[in-house]
Amino acid sequence: MVPEANPRVGQLTTQWQRGKDKIAAALISLVLIVGVVAQAGFAWQVHLNGEEIGVVKDKASLVALIEARTHEVEADKGYEVGLASQVEFRKIVSFSSDDAEAVKETLSEGLEFGLKATAIIVNGTEVAALATLEEAEGLLEQLKSRFIKTSSNLEVEAVRFREDVELEETYCRVEDIVDKDAALNVLLHGSEKLLQHTVARGESLWTIAFKYQLGVSSLKAANPNIKPEVLPIGSKLSLKLDEPFVRVEVVEKQTYNKSIPFATTYTTDSSLWTWDSKVKVAGKAGAQQVTARIVSVNGKEEKRDILSTQITASPTTQVVARGTKTAPSLSTGTFLWPTTGVITSPYGMRWGAMHSGVDIGAPKGTAIKAADSGMVTFSGWNGGYGYMVKIDHGNGTSTLYAHSSKLLVSQSSVVEKGQVIALVGSTGNSYGAHLHFEVHLNGKQVNPLNYFR
Ligand SMILES: [Zn+2]
């Protein structure tokens, strides 16, 4: 059977034809739209570290800006850097955009750069980061050599860090990189280590400062709110202490010369007065060569072990002869008042101390006379006594005349009772011109007034 011609076929064909035309028209308009959008509707949404900073048409100039800034930082720092900030360009459909210069400026200001640096790790803590491994290695060497002394008489046996010091590759921002000098300073002086002190009974800012070897001013600076005069017991003070991160231990063997002091022995000489002595054999220091192992930490000696000593020159013992010849008794039995004046301070306790003589007030230059005949055992400067004369009268009695302005007799000379031996003055430990007069009996000070009745 021959199928009948379907009248709907023509209809369908026409419909399809019309649909095809529609699709074509739609496609054409789509192409047109895409073309228009492609030409004018796309823009770049710029994100800096995940945050949108604007929309621009020209991506290339921003990329160029990033490159230029990178080169600028590299030229300034002297090493290669990379972009540490996250910059993202998202393509979006947009017919408008932001002010290109403003976006550029925001991007430029927000850009951060970083690099693969070398961190110095001390006991597991990163204390500084340097730009290159060479620089970090150089720094550690410099730190060690800082405490090495070079001398022909010493041999360095070991140089090491007391702490565990390591170098580690790290990625960090350009701002966190320090130069060698700054890193050296940090390693040597540390960061400020904060400690606390609880005030105990009887403590003051000064005793606490002393305890921690701090200056009172730095303690005050660390605790601006305290009143130094009133430190309540139990209150807490912060102490900022300088603590190095690393300690360089240097062990060295050193050979050096050390002198051996001489000893002194005494002998007697009957031709010398008892107040005289004479060096019979001059002492001479000896010498020895010492070899020691010295351990020092950051330049401060911690331990010294003597390994050997070799005496290269023995010391010579000094021999001193002491006189045994006693002064002849020249005393007349009575004393003469030694100067013209009145007693301004008697013998005895004075201001809680013993006043071992009598003070006779007299103008400077007044004659001082020997209280009795005798031999001068001392004439010269004697500390707090100033210029003084001492006379031995024999039989265990002596007199002493202090604070003179001028001495007129010499040691071992014989003086007559009443002879002018010195002039009143105020030398030594004295306030105002006066004569300090003492009487000694068998080496002990006695009240001079006992001799004047
Ligand atoms: Zn006196």
Side-chain angles (χ1 to χ4, degrees), residues 94-387:
S94 172
F95 289 93
S96 65
S97 63
D98 296 317
D99 174 29
E101 283 312 307
V103 176
K104 250 186 182 175
E105 207 181 308
T106 309
L107 179 67
S108 183
E109 278 171 9
L111 285 181
E112 282 190 321
F113 297 90
L115 71 154
K116 215 188 265 173
T118 301
I120 298 174
I121 317 281
V122 179
N123 287 344
T125 305
E126 183 179 322
V127 296
L130 286 109
T132 65
L133 176 65
E134 293 72 41
E135 211 180 354
E137 281 173 342
L139 170 72
L140 295 186
E141 281 315 304
Q142 195 183 329
L143 187 57
K144 280 180 177 173
S145 62
R146 196 184 175 91
F147 298 108
I148 297 174
K149 287 166 272 170
T150 47
S151 170
S152 58
N153 68 333
L154 65 84
E155 182 193 321
V156 176
E157 293 184 326
V159 182
R160 54 192 166 230
F161 292 119
R162 279 269 169 99
E163 288 74 20
D164 185 20
V165 179
E166 284 173 335
L167 296 181
E168 216 174 87
E169 198 174 74
T170 180
Y171 195 84
C172 65
R173 297 184 316 155
V174 166
E175 285 83 5
D176 297 331
I177 296 292
V178 291
D179 64 19
K180 228 157 109 175
D181 287 345
L184 194 67
N185 204 42
V186 168
L187 290 173
L188 279 176
H189 304 293
S191 58
E192 289 166 328
K193 189 183 174 190
L194 271 171
L195 277 181
Q196 270 198 338
H197 174 83
T198 306
V199 179
R201 188 174 295 277
E203 280 188 325
S204 72
L205 202 62
W206 288 268
T207 63
I208 296 165
F210 182 76
K211 183 177 176 181
Y212 293 97
Q213 309 227 296
L214 293 167
V216 171
S217 54
S218 59
L219 199 54
K220 274 186 192 168
N223 301 275
N225 297 323
I226 58 150
K227 283 186 187 139
E229 305 78 24
V230 204
L231 278 186
I233 293 162
S235 62
K236 286 178 166 45
L237 292 183
S238 16
L239 314 160
K240 277 180 179 170
L241 299 180
D242 194 34
E243 191 152 295
F245 274 116
V246 290
R247 290 166 300 164
V248 180
E249 179 186 289
V250 177
V251 181
E252 62 192 19
K253 204 157 96 180
Q254 198 178 335
T255 301
Y256 52 92
N257 292 318
K258 200 181 167 196
S259 84
I260 308 170
F262 61 81
T264 304
T265 59
Y266 296 92
T267 176
T268 55
D269 187 333
S270 59
S271 70
L272 294 174
W273 297 108
T274 49
W275 54 86
D276 261 353
S277 66
K278 199 173 166 185
V279 174
K280 296 281 184 182
V281 179
K284 205 178 146 203
Q288 59 187 330
Q289 199 177 57
V290 180
T291 301
R293 178 170 287 123
I294 301 161
V295 178
S296 54
V297 175
N298 280 11
K300 210 170 156 192
E301 186 174 323
E302 196 183 72
K303 200 171 140 212
R304 178 178 293 236
D305 288 327
I306 306 296
L307 304 176
S308 69
T309 53
Q310 195 188 346
I311 293 171
T312 49
S314 297
T316 306
T317 301
Q318 176 152 293
V319 181
V320 177
R322 283 167 167 163
T324 55
K325 191 165 72 165
T326 51
S329 178
L330 302 170
S331 88
T332 61
T334 54
F335 277 171
L336 179 107
W337 194 241
T339 192
T340 316
V342 294
I343 295 172
T344 53
S345 184
Y347 171 90
M349 289 304 287
R350 179 178 70 166
W351 306 318
M354 184 65 190
H355 185 224
S356 52
V358 288
D359 288 348
I360 304 162
K364 184 184 172 188
T366 307
I368 299 171
K369 295 167 186 167
D372 199 356
S373 300
M375 284 192 75
V376 178
T377 61
F378 184 90
S379 181
W381 180 267
N382 186 21
Y385 282 100
Y387 287 111

Side-chain angles (χ1 to χ4, degrees), residues 381-387 402-405 425-432 434:
W381 180 267
N382 186 21
Y385 282 100
Y387 287 111
H403 309 310
S404 300
S405 59
S426 187
T427 57
N429 194 1
S430 163
Y431 297 95
H434 75 284

